[in-house]
Amino acid sequence: MSSPNPNPAAAGSGEKVDQVMQPVLFEIFGEMWKVQARLGQGGSASVYRVSSARSSSAAVKEFLLDAQGGDYGFLKERSVLEDIQGHKNIVTLYGVFTNHNPLGVASRCLLLELLDVSVSELLVRGSSQGHSMWLIQHCARDVLEALCFLHREGYVHADLKPRNVLWSPDDECFKLIDFGLSFKEGHQDVKYIQTDGYRAPEAEVQNSLAQAGLEGGSGCTTAVDLWSLGIILLEMFSGIKLKDTVKSQEWKDNSAAVVDHIFSSNSVVYPAIPVYHLRDLIKSMLHHNPNRRSTAEAALISPFFSIPFAPHIDDLVLLPTPVLRLLNVIDDSHLHNDDEYEDILEDMREECQKYGSVLSLLIPKENPGKGQVFVEYANAGDSKEAQRLLTGRTFDGKFVVATFYPLSAYKRGYLYQTVQ
């Protein structure tokens, strides 16, 4: 059983608030915040993207009262989040507040960092051949870093799945969200954990025993999180959802052989050595015996993480950052005429400032990056709007291709070539 999955997700990924309703407002710390979109809705909570006149956007997770009229769900998630703040790969909790709607009904709320696209969305939007090694490695490392920290603090996430791993455009990393089912190892206070398709074998047994009214032993351990991550990475590599596969008898009899088959089917797309390292990393997470499963700390020293990968151009379209890169815009002939070059710089800055605050603009005259336009916006929201409106536009008779670009690489002057 899954906890409700209200994502602190992307501005573009939530449904618009019903236009026939009165505008929904939250009063947060004495300031009125307007609801821009509902990002997720579950049985016990909903998440909204909100903004105010003075502050940037954020996410509000609003909890409903539980069946007993209490706020256990709110108190539990608040307690976990407050205990694990400060890690770059875990969603930031800004504060907590009580909201009173026009009918006088009070609800407890968390004010959270607003994140962007989820791995679930990446799986839907990605190729049927799977994602690039760069993206898989980036996601795997970020999630393992989060799990190392979480597990050292004694916590089990207990609901790791693609919808609970989100991209942060400003920090350029993936972060974990939704700690509604999390618990201290050895003190499991939730009978039903994890989500179908990502549930470890020992959690399946425990859930079945709980449904039968029987005790499930001493509870699950941090190993259940590694199982879930192994499935997520296998889905990212294969480009297919594995919910039916992991329920099959073939998987139960010999999951390692199924993993081998998936890799042999896709290996022609990738160089052999990285594929073998990724395969072995995933298999180390998918032992049916939790005692044989890799820990997060051990997984991070896999040889897979020592291989440098370049991002595919598709990766830079999928993962927003504050830096926009425009391709197919400028002829080389314009780069070596100083007057023409200055005119182009001025024209591009004027055009790009229509979509947000431009902090810097760079058009390299030589490789790497020759003739490409790099535009640094004040925030990822502005660059996303520019990317949406500039893609497909014509400039000097040519169709513009707009991707994002890692801010950290741009700041270092590292203009690497992407894989086409």
Side-chain angles (χ1 to χ4, degrees):
M1 180 181 296
S2 163
S3 67
N5 188 45
N7 286 352
S13 63
E15 65 184 60
K16 294 296 182 182
V17 177
D18 189 347
Q19 296 299 308
V20 301
M21 296 176 61
Q22 293 295 321
V24 180
L25 299 172
F26 288 108
E27 183 177 353
I28 307 174
F29 312 137
E31 186 176 2
M32 300 308 296
W33 293 61
K34 184 177 180 180
V35 173
Q36 297 176 315
R38 180 186 289 116
L39 302 177
Q41 186 171 20
S44 63
S46 294
V47 167
Y48 302 94
R49 185 177 74 250
V50 300
S51 66
S52 73
R54 294 188 300 169
S55 303
S56 58
S57 296
V60 168
K61 185 169 185 177
E62 181 183 33
F63 289 81
L64 305 175
L65 295 178
D66 58 34
Q68 289 73 42
D71 51 8
Y72 176 77
F74 163 79
L75 294 173
K76 177 178 173 59
E77 186 153 6
R78 171 187 178 175
S79 172
V80 175
L81 279 170
E82 288 181 338
D83 212 18
I84 59 172
Q85 284 301 285
H87 193 277
K88 69 181 180 68
N89 298 117
I90 291 175
V91 64
T92 300
L93 173 67
Y94 295 141
V96 301
F97 65 98
T98 300
N99 183 62
H100 298 272
N101 71 14
L103 300 177
V105 178
S107 57
R108 306 299 295 276
C109 303
L110 304 175
L111 183 64
L112 298 161
E113 170 186 14
L114 182 68
L115 299 174
D116 205 276
V117 63
S118 70
V119 170
S120 179
E121 292 169 279
L122 294 178
L123 288 169
V124 170
R125 294 161 58 184
S127 163
S128 59
Q129 292 185 321
H131 285 290
S132 73
M133 285 291 180
W134 178 86
L135 183 57
I136 295 170
Q137 185 190 67
H138 200 338
C139 181
R141 181 185 283 116
D142 286 347
V143 174
L144 284 169
E145 292 280 7
L147 290 180
C148 271
F149 173 75
L150 197 65
H151 294 170
R152 281 198 301 269
E153 295 298 310
Y155 282 102
V156 181
H157 185 282
D159 197 19
L160 194 56
K161 57 187 176 184
R163 289 180 66 189
N164 285 343
V165 181
L166 274 66
W167 174 253
S168 168
D170 296 316
D171 294 331
E172 293 185 55
C173 65
F174 290 94
K175 301 193 179 193
L176 298 190
I177 67 162
D178 198 349
F179 295 85
L181 295 183
S182 301
F183 58 88
K184 280 277 193 178
E185 190 172 38
H187 301 278
Q188 186 174 339
D189 58 351
V190 185
K191 289 183 179 180
Y192 303 100
I193 64 169
Q194 302 193 289
T195 294
D196 259 0
Y198 306 95
R199 188 177 294 121
E202 63 271 28
E204 289 280 9
V205 171
Q206 180 186 267
N207 286 8
S208 297
L209 290 172
Q211 287 178 336
L214 303 173
E215 289 296 324
S218 59
C220 292
T221 68
T222 55
V224 300
D225 291 336
L226 274 297
W227 176 279
S228 301
L229 179 57
I231 300 296
I232 292 170
L233 298 180
L234 193 56
E235 290 184 337
M236 293 182 75
F237 174 78
S238 65
I240 57 176
K241 298 290 284 184
L242 298 173
K243 185 175 180 179
D244 292 334
T245 300
V246 300
K247 288 184 175 180
S248 68
Q249 192 58 48
E250 183 183 8
W251 176 270
K252 293 174 182 176
D253 291 341
N254 193 348
S255 59
V258 176
V259 173
D260 286 339
H261 175 71
I262 290 172
F263 270 83
S264 64
S265 301
N266 273 40
S267 60
V268 292
V269 181
Y270 303 104
I273 292 177
V275 167
Y276 296 150
H277 288 324
L278 176 60
R279 179 201 62 189
D280 292 345
L281 173 65
I282 290 174
K283 288 171 75 171
S284 75
M285 300 177 183
L286 295 177
H287 287 293
H288 283 260
N289 181 347
N291 295 322
R292 294 185 58 203
R293 218 170 286 156
S294 176
T295 64
E297 194 170 358
L300 274 172
I301 61 174
S302 161
F304 177 63
F305 295 111
S306 66
I307 304 171
F309 297 108
H312 191 284
I313 191 168
D314 291 342
D315 301 328
L316 301 182
V317 173
L318 292 171
L319 300 178
T321 73
V323 178
L324 196 64
R325 183 182 64 162
L326 306 178
L327 307 174
N328 197 37
V329 176
I330 298 171
D331 288 328
D332 289 354
S333 59
H334 297 313
L335 297 174
H336 302 293
N337 181 307
D338 290 343
D339 290 339
E340 288 187 11
Y341 179 77
E342 290 301 323
D343 287 343
I344 289 171
L345 276 175
E346 186 177 338
D347 290 346
M348 293 305 306
R349 181 178 291 276
E350 183 179 337
E351 177 64 26
C352 292
Q353 281 178 337
K354 295 177 182 177
Y355 314 110
S357 176
V358 174
L359 300 184
S360 66
L361 189 145
L362 172 67
I363 305 177
K365 291 184 176 182
E366 302 293 341
N367 280 319
K370 182 178 180 180
Q372 300 176 23
V373 182
F374 296 85
V375 188
E376 180 191 3
Y377 282 94
N379 57 68
D382 289 349
S383 67
K384 284 179 66 175
E385 182 69 1
Q387 194 261 358
R388 183 180 70 85
L389 294 172
L390 287 171
T391 297
R393 289 272 303 276
T394 57
F395 188 83
D396 200 19
K398 295 189 291 186
F399 283 100
V400 176
V401 176
T403 79
F404 301 103
Y405 195 81
L407 177 62
S408 55
Y410 175 77
K411 289 288 193 184
R412 296 197 308 269
Y414 182 37
L415 308 179
Y416 48 62
Q417 297 298 115
T418 53
V419 181
Q420 301 296 315

